[in-house]
């Protein structure tokens, strides 16, 4: 004879009470198992939707005017970026040369940008220029030579004794070592200043 629902509930309640007294309530229930101890943390519900903006922002401000608008990147380069080939060490073709190689050939790059790079043993790549676009080095004119010698003489001449040395004097001393600290210098290392004009007169 099947048990009634009320009798079944009483039976299970008594059985659960017995297990509860023995401390095995949760382990004895195969399904559904109930969590004992701390209650399960509540899962936050979905984020409530933002309140609707005021009605004035929903007005069709650009209605009929946005057909011709395009997206413009203000930081995009005006010209497409170009790259130059990079050759391995000692693998550059013969038509290219570095600035020093051009100068050894008596040529100058004449303002052209580097057309290729070549890897070196150093941290930087060497810049190669087109030999066909290079032009001969302009000769050193007398005016240029005079200006260079004038500038070099200013760096080699002692302001105190007037000797012109064969090396550049330290700018921190503003004079030669002999004038600064009395250290005698090699007489072969400088050109003596010309004697004052007053001593050249015979009488
Ligand atoms: Zn001096």
């Amino acid at each position: 004879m099947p048990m009634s629902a009320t009798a079944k509930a009483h039976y299970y309640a008594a059985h659960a009470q017995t297990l509860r007294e023995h401390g095995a309530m949760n382990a004895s229930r195969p399904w559904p198992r109930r969590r004992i101890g701390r209650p399960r943390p509540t899962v936050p519900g979905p984020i409530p939707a933002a309140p609707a903006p005021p009605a004035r922002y929903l007005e069709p401000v650009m209605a009929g005017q946005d057909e011709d608008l395009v997206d413009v990147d203000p930081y995009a380069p005006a010209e497409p970026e170009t790259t130059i080939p990079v050759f391995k060490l000692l693998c550059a073709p013969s038509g290219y040369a570095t600035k020093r190689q051009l100068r050894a050939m008596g040529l100058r790059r004449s303002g052209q940008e580097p057309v290729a790079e070549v890897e070196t043993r150093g941290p930087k790549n060497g810049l190669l220029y087109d030999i066909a676009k290079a032009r001969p080095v302009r000769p050193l004119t007398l005016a240029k030579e005079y200006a260079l010698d004038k500038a070099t003489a200013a760096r080699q001449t002692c302001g105190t004794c007037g000797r012109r040395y064969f090396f550049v004097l330290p700018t921190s001393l503003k004079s030669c070592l002999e004038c600064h600290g009395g250290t005698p210098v090699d007489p072969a290392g400088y050109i003596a200043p010309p004697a004052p004009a007053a001593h050249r007169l015979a009488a």
Side-chain angles (χ1 to χ4, degrees), residues 11 15-16 29 34 42 45 53 65-66 71-72 79 126 128 130-131 143 150 152 155 159 168 171 173 178 202:
Y11 172 77
H15 183 61
R29 185 194 299 273
R34 284 187 184 170
T42 57
Q65 305 178 32
D66 56 346
D71 291 335
V72 176
E79 298 176 356
L128 297 176
D130 196 356
I131 298 179
K150 191 177 171 185
T152 309
R155 302 167 66 201
V168 175
T171 57
L173 302 181
E178 188 168 330

Side-chain angles (χ1 to χ4, degrees), residues 121-190:
R121 295 187 179 88
K124 289 182 177 180
N125 284 352
L127 300 179
L128 297 176
Y129 301 91
D130 196 356
I131 298 179
K133 294 181 182 175
R135 282 191 277 181
V137 174
R138 286 166 295 204
L140 187 66
T141 63
L142 191 61
K144 280 186 182 177
E145 200 169 353
Y146 175 76
L148 283 174
D149 181 71
K150 191 177 171 185
T152 309
R155 302 167 66 201
Q156 293 178 343
T157 304
C158 173
T160 306
C161 61
R163 297 167 179 166
R164 175 168 177 178
Y165 289 85
F166 292 110
F167 51 86
V168 175
L169 297 176
T171 57
S172 59
L173 302 181
K174 301 184 189 305
S175 64
C176 63
L177 285 177
E178 188 168 330
C179 294
H180 177 260
T183 305
V185 297
D186 186 7
Y190 59 85

